[in-house]
Amino acid sequence: MAKPGKVHLLLHAHLPFVREPSYDRFLEENWFFEAMAETYLPIIQMLNRLEEKGVPGTLNFSVSSALLAMLTDCSLLDKFSRHLHKQLELLEREKVRLQNDSEKMEVVNFYYRRQIALINTWERDCNCEIVPALKRLVQIGKINLLTCVGTHPFLPAYQNDVEAIRLQLEITVRAFEEAFGKKPRGLWLPECGYFEGLDAILAEYGFKYFFLETHGVLLAKPAPKYGVFAPIKTPAGLYCFGREQSSSMEVWSRKTGYPGHPEYREFFKDIAHEREDEYLGDYFLAAGTHIETGLKYYRITGSEDKKIYRPWNALRLVEDHARLFVANREETVSNLLPNMDGNKVSILCPYDAELFGHWWFEGPLFIEKMFERAASSNVVEMASLEDSVPSLNVAGKVADPDVHAPIFSSWGEGGFGEVWMNDAVTFEYPLFFRMRAMMNDLKKRIHGAVRGSKVATVKRFLAQMARELVLFQASDWAFMIHNNSAADYARNRLNGHYENVCALYAEAVKAKPNLQLLKTLEQKNNLFPWIGECFTS
């Protein structure tokens, strides 16, 4: 019997593209290794367990094009394999160091068993590739894969340059199709950033549905009959889901969210800040900076005097929180049904994927227990978003047949564009338009030239300039500057991509351009090898 409530758990997986092939160990590449070891692989392990136990339900998982480029990069994947074994070596040293500390030894042994399982999953089950593992989970119905726009630009900032948005969308569709063998239908807008008319542009690329922050839907014109509890149809014929706030607060809230419980693992107490340089070794050091190891021995406990982490208690607690989460969704659905005119209730629960496992260590198990609890519910089910999209659903029933125009919005601080358009980052947008002008000039030169080796060379320059441009557009850099988190690195990335475009342009217009810089950048920033086809056609 069909259940009246569909809970759409949506995880958005994205990282800024970081690749430094000239370095054996590069600090910011560790962001990728952490996400792989603490979020992506544990989620695959969790879904495999659900399959083995016969637990029904589908996880919605959005993967950005920038992240896909890293997930398929042989150099980064080889480094990640080494990373797992370096962590194992450190754990073996910890077992010796802490052999007389029985309390911490229990935690060390827990980590050691977990690390062996991670390595087995990565090397034996995944064959050191994650994309085929995701494809298999799609085939068995455990994942509904979606995508995100290109390199994750905050699109409202570029609405005056629609062609730049189209370039990002062409990248989006091509990258997803090359990875998974089919075109994407669902799209996570970076930062849930929307402006009026964007849906029409998305429709050009075959997208069927997307997501917005709560007020982006609630303040749509006219106001939706069912609020955020049913998708709305936009003027361009796409369907839009709005975030349901109570489910978000139960996880996101710093004060009352589940991840802040004192029994869960403390994120900010890594042994990288407690051990001597010589003990950690060169691998967990970069330019004198300690690199997080992933080994943390304390639970939150709400004070500076942290207590030792107790995995068994945390894993027991996560079951209680999963039961509470599902019970609260059941209550929401039951309260709404009398006013739904016979329609099912759709509840969108969107989160950054990296919250589960990386920031909230117990997060993947929380999802597993949530699926198990929902399986025994008579009210809710963990459903694919496509089950609630009328144009993709066999039943095809439209809860709200009216057309609604969503408003400009984002899920960032303040709900609009302040995080990505403020005084601290205003310098970046004039640089962007200068880069666009240089690229457009080079494109005109190509179209006006006779075919030959020089034209082919200039196309290579233009393709690399396009890579630098889309990397410059990543919303991550403005976010880091706004939050003063790795802000210097973010400014360096912005300035570096701009300087690369300027230098490439200066060479490309010469009668005999020097190819040294071009070759270096083609090796370093090598994502989207076909990008020239998108830009020069």
Side-chain angles (χ1 to χ4, degrees), residues 84-149:
L84 289 179
H85 284 279
K86 283 293 183 180
Q87 285 182 310
L88 185 63
E89 290 176 15
L90 183 59
L91 272 166
E92 289 168 345
R93 291 201 294 275
E94 286 289 281
K95 290 179 75 172
V96 174
R97 181 185 184 112
L98 299 172
Q99 57 186 319
N100 295 322
D101 187 335
S102 60
E103 199 174 15
K104 284 187 178 179
M105 270 301 291
E106 290 181 337
V107 186
V108 173
N109 287 330
F110 165 77
Y111 281 139
Y112 189 83
R113 292 190 297 270
R114 178 183 181 277
Q115 194 71 14
I116 294 295
L118 274 178
I119 291 172
N120 284 338
T121 298
W122 176 241
E123 296 180 351
R124 183 190 63 199
D125 301 338
C126 295
N127 197 26
C128 299
E129 292 183 281
I130 204 166
V131 168
L134 293 174
K135 290 170 72 173
R136 191 192 77 84
L137 289 167
V138 170
Q139 291 168 356
I140 63 175
K142 301 314 295 179
I143 272 188
N144 170 38
L145 277 179
L146 303 88
T147 190
C148 177
V149 180

Side-chain angles (χ1 to χ4, degrees), residues 298-309:
Y298 299 94
R299 58 188 193 269
I300 294 173
T301 51
S303 69
E304 289 302 315
D305 183 23
K306 302 292 183 182
K307 305 299 182 183
I308 300 299
Y309 181 54

Side-chain angles (χ1 to χ4, degrees), residues 489-500:
Y489 177 75
R491 292 188 189 92
N492 289 338
R493 284 294 299 263
L494 286 167
N495 291 327
H497 292 305
Y498 173 70
E499 291 166 3
N500 289 344

Side-chain angles (χ1 to χ4, degrees), residues 317-519:
L317 176 65
V318 89
E319 294 189 48
D320 294 337
H321 281 149
R323 283 196 296 269
L324 179 59
F325 185 92
V326 174
N328 288 340
R329 306 292 78 72
E330 289 174 327
E331 182 180 14
T332 297
V333 170
S334 298
N335 290 339
L336 286 169
L337 280 176
N339 301 309
M340 292 299 293
D341 304 317
N343 295 298
K344 293 184 182 295
V345 178
S346 295
I347 300 179
L348 175 67
C349 307
Y351 309 97
D352 283 335
E354 294 77 23
L355 169 65
F356 296 87
H358 176 57
W359 296 103
W360 181 17
F361 181 67
E362 299 80 7
L365 186 62
F366 169 78
I367 296 174
E368 182 175 356
K369 297 304 177 184
M370 186 199 314
F371 271 67
E372 291 177 356
R373 175 63 186 86
S376 62
S377 171
N378 294 321
V379 180
V380 299
E381 60 184 339
M382 306 303 296
S384 166
L385 281 152
E386 303 201 349
D387 292 343
S388 293
V389 178
S391 60
L392 301 176
N393 191 345
V394 176
K397 184 177 181 181
V398 181
D400 182 352
D402 294 337
V403 171
H404 304 269
I407 67 162
F408 165 58
S409 54
S410 82
W411 79 340
E413 179 185 335
F416 295 99
E418 293 90 338
V419 174
W420 303 277
M421 295 183 287
N422 58 66
D423 290 345
V425 297
T426 50
F427 73 92
E428 88 176 70
Y429 296 106
L431 301 184
F432 167 79
F433 286 106
R434 288 177 204 161
M435 289 188 285
R436 287 283 285 140
M438 286 183 271
M439 293 171 67
N440 286 333
D441 177 69
L442 209 54
K443 189 175 180 180
K444 290 178 182 177
R445 291 172 185 249
I446 290 174
H447 289 168
V450 179
R451 293 186 179 275
S453 59
K454 176 63 189 299
V455 170
T457 298
V458 173
K459 283 187 175 182
R460 276 180 61 192
F461 274 97
L462 186 56
Q464 190 58 40
M465 290 167 70
R467 291 187 190 97
E468 304 296 328
L469 178 85
V470 296
L471 288 171
F472 178 96
Q473 287 182 280
S475 67
D476 309 86
W477 314 134
F479 180 84
M480 292 176 188
I481 292 170
H482 176 75
N483 288 342
N484 197 28
S485 173
D488 288 342
Y489 177 75
R491 292 188 189 92
N492 289 338
R493 284 294 299 263
L494 286 167
N495 291 327
H497 292 305
Y498 173 70
E499 291 166 3
N500 289 344
V501 168
C502 292
L504 289 167
Y505 176 76
E507 285 297 329
V509 296
K510 292 180 180 177
K512 292 183 178 181
N514 187 321
L515 302 183
Q516 183 176 353
L517 175 63
L518 174 63
K519 291 177 179 177

Side-chain angles (χ1 to χ4, degrees), residues 271-286:
I271 68 165
H273 311 295
E274 300 171 356
R275 301 289 185 264
E276 306 84 358
D277 291 1
E278 295 78 11
Y279 179 84
L280 291 170
D282 292 340
Y283 185 77
F284 291 105
L285 295 169

Side-chain angles (χ1 to χ4, degrees), residues 185-214:
R185 300 192 290 194
L187 182 71
W188 180 290
L189 295 174
E191 319 299 356
C192 295
Y194 183 83
F195 62 88
E196 185 178 357
L198 178 56
D199 59 325
I201 304 172
L202 301 182
E204 295 175 20
Y205 295 88
F207 290 105
K208 305 298 182 184
Y209 59 101
F210 62 99
F211 320 96
L212 291 183
E213 179 56 285
T214 313

